Amino acid sequence: MSHSIAASNLTTVVSRDSLPTAIVKNMITVVLSISVIFINGMLIHTFRQHQVLSANPRYILYIHLVANDIILLTIFEVMVVLSYIFSTLNTSFCMLVLVVAILANLNNPLTLAIMALECYVAICFPLHHVQICTVNNAYVAIGLVWVISSLTILPDVFVVLATESLDFFHSRVFCARDQIFRNPRLKEKRDISYIVLLVLVWLTLVYAYFNILFAAQGATSNARKARNTVLLHGFQLSLCMLTYTYNQISNGLIALFPQYVTDIRFITTILFQVLPRLLSPLIYGLRDKTFRKYVKSRLFCARREAQELEPEVSNARVTGTPGQIRQADQIRR
């Protein structure tokens, strides 16, 4: 995070760290983000390799969460590197990247609401669960999530296209949402839409939780597990809400401590943008016994294959021909 932005009366102030500090901060951010992307990618790979997971609507919705986190972190890392190199970016490119990031960010709370409803149907309507919660319906639900998210941000894009001059789209700006969607009414609409979205999702989680809670009075293990799962969805939603409060908290701290602008941006970015993308998938994915079993088997298989190949590679390098040695090196890599 080598750059920071404080917007006041449409005035942008860009603060820069010293070169060594900027390099250290960017290295920390890049390493953390790539690590989280790798872990999430491993979860997606495990999902794709096992039909028992890919044929289960619950895991399909879960992987949709993980995929959105990968999209967000990838965009975040690209923007960190580009903003450090170029300081400002082309407005059209910035708007395109922001729209994709906003869509992915809106998808997560909506997906959590659908996952909570799936648990509700499984416990309260067990005889209809197989007919309602199918693989096809899971993908339809994911499609609806993207449609709803699109309806939230696309009107803003149309307003910008209709009101801004052509020169604006060829100009360069510090890539932030307030610098692209500059109309004050769009900011009000954004805040209202976020509040409405989060309220509806929270009401869905509360509704599902209390209905499952009443069903759990029979003390069945499935009902208790579903109740705990909905509570976990609430925790995941709380992590999602951190990203929505990022600008408000950052700007508030910057107003109190203006001399630490870049440090505040760096710390809040790590806490609100990077770490939630790691905690949410891991807590849910590794808590699930079935998913955890396949992740462990995948890791153990990879390590066992490496151990089995190591003697063969070593022998080939000692006794093999030059062609065999090259092949052995390729296997090692």
Side-chain angles (χ1 to χ4, degrees):
M1 294 281 90
S2 58
H3 301 81
S4 298
I5 181 169
S8 177
N9 296 326
L10 297 180
T11 300
T12 303
V13 179
V14 178
S15 301
R16 294 181 65 92
D17 288 312
S18 63
L19 182 60
T21 302
I23 292 174
V24 170
K25 288 183 177 180
N26 277 276
M27 286 298 296
I28 292 173
T29 306
V30 168
V31 169
L32 280 176
S33 298
I34 291 177
S35 300
V36 175
I37 291 172
F38 174 78
I39 293 171
N40 287 354
M42 181 188 67
L43 296 175
I44 292 179
H45 181 69
T46 302
F47 168 81
R48 289 172 55 87
Q49 291 297 310
H50 301 284
Q51 189 175 3
V52 68
L53 299 177
S54 59
N56 189 317
R58 184 171 300 174
Y59 297 127
I60 292 172
L61 294 171
Y62 164 66
I63 288 300
H64 183 242
L65 279 178
V66 176
N68 278 288
D69 284 337
I70 290 179
I71 292 172
L72 285 167
L73 272 180
T74 302
I75 291 176
F76 168 74
E77 265 316 303
V78 170
M79 299 308 292
V80 166
V81 174
L82 291 180
S83 65
Y84 173 68
I85 297 173
F86 300 109
S87 182
T88 58
L89 298 175
N90 176 267
T91 300
S92 300
F93 172 76
C94 176
M95 184 169 69
L96 176 63
V97 172
L98 283 176
V99 168
V100 176
I102 292 168
L103 285 173
N105 201 33
L106 290 171
N107 285 344
N108 278 357
L110 292 171
T111 305
L112 287 172
I114 294 174
M115 294 175 72
L117 290 176
E118 189 273 334
C119 290
Y120 163 72
V121 172
I123 299 303
C124 298
F125 303 97
L127 297 180
H128 301 285
H129 180 260
V130 176
Q131 289 79 23
I132 297 175
C133 300
T134 64
V135 171
N136 288 336
N137 286 345
Y139 285 114
V140 169
I142 290 173
L144 289 175
V145 165
W146 280 90
V147 169
I148 294 172
S149 298
S150 299
L151 292 176
T152 303
I153 185 58
L154 287 183
D156 295 14
V157 175
F158 295 145
V159 169
V160 172
L161 293 175
T163 57
E164 298 290 354
S165 65
L166 188 60
D167 292 337
F168 172 74
F169 297 100
H170 294 290
S171 64
R172 300 179 68 86
V173 297
F174 184 89
C175 194
R177 182 167 181 169
D178 288 344
Q179 301 304 307
I180 302 297
F181 303 99
R182 302 185 295 181
N183 191 313
R185 293 188 176 182
L186 292 182
K187 297 177 183 178
E188 295 176 5
K189 171 186 169 296
R190 176 194 63 191
D191 294 338
I192 293 173
S193 63
Y194 281 172
I195 292 172
V196 171
L197 173 71
L198 293 175
V199 167
L200 290 176
V201 173
W202 273 114
L203 288 176
T204 302
L205 293 182
V206 170
Y207 175 81
Y209 175 77
F210 280 104
N211 277 277
I212 293 172
L213 181 64
F214 296 142
Q217 291 177 351
T220 64
S221 59
N222 287 338
R224 288 197 302 271
K225 181 180 178 181
R227 180 193 61 194
N228 294 335
T229 299
V230 175
L231 282 177
L232 185 58
H233 292 335
F235 175 71
Q236 290 177 284
L237 183 58
S238 299
L239 293 177
C240 289
M241 290 178 66
L242 290 177
T243 62
Y244 294 111
T245 59
Y246 166 75
N247 286 328
Q248 289 78 3
I249 293 177
S250 295
N251 292 335
L253 291 173
I254 289 170
L256 293 174
F257 308 101
Q259 67 273 28
Y260 301 112
V261 172
T262 56
D263 294 330
I264 290 172
R265 288 291 182 187
F266 172 71
I267 294 172
T268 53
T269 295
I270 296 296
L271 293 178
F272 294 170
Q273 300 286 356
V274 179
L275 290 183
R277 311 296 173 196
L278 170 65
L279 294 176
S280 181
L282 281 184
I283 290 173
Y284 186 89
L286 298 184
R287 173 182 172 272
D288 185 272
K289 292 181 180 179
T290 303
F291 208 97
R292 184 171 66 244
K293 179 182 70 174
Y294 286 108
V295 169
K296 286 183 177 180
S297 67
R298 188 68 191 171
L299 291 175
F300 291 150
C301 284
R303 188 169 67 177
R304 187 163 55 248
E305 289 175 0
Q307 292 173 346
E308 291 174 353
L309 284 174
E310 188 63 29
E312 297 179 9
V313 172
S314 301
N315 291 336
R317 291 190 60 83
V318 173
T319 63
T321 63
Q324 290 173 330
I325 293 175
R326 286 195 298 270
Q327 185 178 7
D329 289 336
Q330 292 175 355
I331 293 174
R332 184 190 295 271
R333 288 194 292 267

